[in-house]
């Protein structure tokens, strides 16, 4: 597609439930990133994919968080047993490999845990 | 690892006035630097980037930034702002090493008043 697509755009879930967030990157962008943005705060790196491997998972906050990527396309971020502190906007970005290209971001998924 | 600092969390300014949003980076090696803008309830959009060459970089929407190696700064400027420029602005730098992830500053809210 023309841009990075994320779904759902909004998700309200009960504490303790599992959620899956989806990201569809720009075709040809082999690099894919997940970030978390809590209300009024900056962007917190979660995980980086190059193709379908994840060389940097250093930002995943706990073992309740996991992510997968199919080839060089769709990625899903899964949060198990959601907690209220997981409430945030989850942003996905994709880019060509290399540090000079910059990212293209999706519009994000706003997750609210009640 | 590289990092960026945005000292101003919020910058109020009147419409048609000039504005400067400050960003300082920490690095002892060559850097790439980026500015992103986030409009309300949207993802981030690339404003401009510095890779090499001319230290004055022009971006979209009339913004420009100047790379200053001696002061380790990459301040964002616009000579005359509009109400529509009201948004959160993030400075970013590649983390370095094998990962391509970007490290973002904490953001500056530009609040343009009529």
């Amino acid at each position: 597609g023309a841009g990075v697509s994320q779904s759902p755009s909004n998700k309200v879930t009960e504490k303790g439930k599992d959620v899956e967030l989806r990201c569809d990157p720009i075709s040809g962008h082999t690099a894919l990133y997940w970030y978390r943005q809590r209300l009024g705060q900056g962007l917190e790196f979660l995980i980086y994919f190059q193709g379908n491997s994840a060389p940097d998972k250093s930002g995943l906050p706990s073992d309740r968080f996991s992510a997968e990527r199919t080839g060089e396309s769709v990625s899903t971020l899964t949060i198990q047993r959601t907690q209220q502190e997981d409430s945030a906007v989850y942003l996905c970005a994709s880019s060509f490999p290399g540090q000079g290209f910059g990212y293209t971001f999706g519009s994000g998924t706003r997750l609210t845990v009640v | 690892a590289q990092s960026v600092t945005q000292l101003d969390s919020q910058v109020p300014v009147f419409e048609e006035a000039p504005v400067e949003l400050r960003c300082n980076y920490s690095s002892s090696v060559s850097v790439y630097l980026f500015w992103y803008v986030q409009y309300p309830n949207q993802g981030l959009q690339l404003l401009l980037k510095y890779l090499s060459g001319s230290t004055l970089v022009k971006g979209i929407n009339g913004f420009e930034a100047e790379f200053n190696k001696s002061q380790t700064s990459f301040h964002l400027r616009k000579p005359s702002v509009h109400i529509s420029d009201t948004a959160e602005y993030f400075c970013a730098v590649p983390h370095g090493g094998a990962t391509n992830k970007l490290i973002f500053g904490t953001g500056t809210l530009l609040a343009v008043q009529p």
Side-chain angles (χ1 to χ4, degrees):
Chain A
V4 177
S5 177
Q6 290 188 249
S7 61
S9 55
N10 279 285
K11 175 74 176 178
V12 180
T13 190
E14 292 181 352
K15 179 180 171 181
K17 300 281 190 183
D18 297 351
V19 294
E20 270 193 6
L21 312 180
R22 176 188 168 107
C23 173
D24 202 341
I26 291 173
S27 178
H29 280 191
T30 58
L32 185 147
Y33 309 82
W34 284 97
Y35 283 80
R36 178 169 70 177
Q37 187 177 28
R38 290 191 168 123
L39 185 64
Q41 298 187 24
L43 277 75
E44 178 186 5
F45 169 79
L46 297 178
I47 188 169
Y48 155 57
F49 284 95
Q50 179 56 45
N52 64 2
S53 67
D56 190 346
K57 306 178 185 179
S58 62
L60 295 178
S62 75
D63 59 7
R64 296 187 296 106
F65 287 73
S66 63
E68 292 183 344
R69 188 178 184 194
T70 306
E72 294 182 351
S73 61
V74 172
S75 175
T76 55
L77 176 68
T78 301
I79 308 173
Q80 295 178 312
R81 305 180 303 281
T82 52
Q83 304 294 314
Q84 287 187 332
E85 63 262 29
D86 299 334
S87 295
V89 176
Y90 289 82
L91 290 165
C92 175
S94 69
S95 77
F96 292 111
Q99 297 182 357
F101 290 102
Y103 297 170
T104 301
F105 279 89
S107 298
T109 294
R110 182 176 299 278
L111 175 66
T112 304
V113 182
V114 297
Chain B
Q2 305 191 57
S3 65
V4 289
T5 302
Q6 294 181 252
L7 290 174
D8 305 307
S9 60
Q10 186 167 348
V11 173
V13 63
F14 288 108
E15 193 172 20
E16 297 184 6
V19 71
E20 178 179 85
L21 306 183
R22 297 183 293 168
C23 173
N24 288 89
Y25 67 91
S26 65
S27 174
S28 59
V29 297
S30 298
V31 295
Y32 299 152
L33 290 157
F34 302 83
W35 275 100
Y36 284 83
V37 59
Q38 186 178 32
Y39 297 104
N41 300 314
Q42 295 186 27
L44 279 73
Q45 179 182 2
L46 181 65
L47 259 183
L48 51 79
K49 61 182 178 182
Y50 171 78
L51 302 181
S52 65
S54 173
T55 56
L56 184 63
V57 181
K58 293 189 183 296
I60 61 171
N61 301 339
F63 283 91
E64 63 183 30
E66 186 162 16
F67 172 66
N68 188 319
K69 188 174 182 179
S70 63
Q71 297 186 5
T72 61
S73 68
F74 190 56
H75 301 332
L76 183 69
R77 302 185 182 104
K78 186 169 183 178
S80 176
V81 295
H82 303 289
I83 295 287
S84 59
D85 292 323
T86 295
E88 190 88 23
Y89 292 79
F90 293 93
C91 183
V93 65
H95 178 269
T99 181
N100 289 323
K101 69 185 179 189
L102 288 178
I103 304 301
F104 288 84
T106 51
T108 298
L109 175 61
L110 175 62
V112 182
Q113 305 165 34

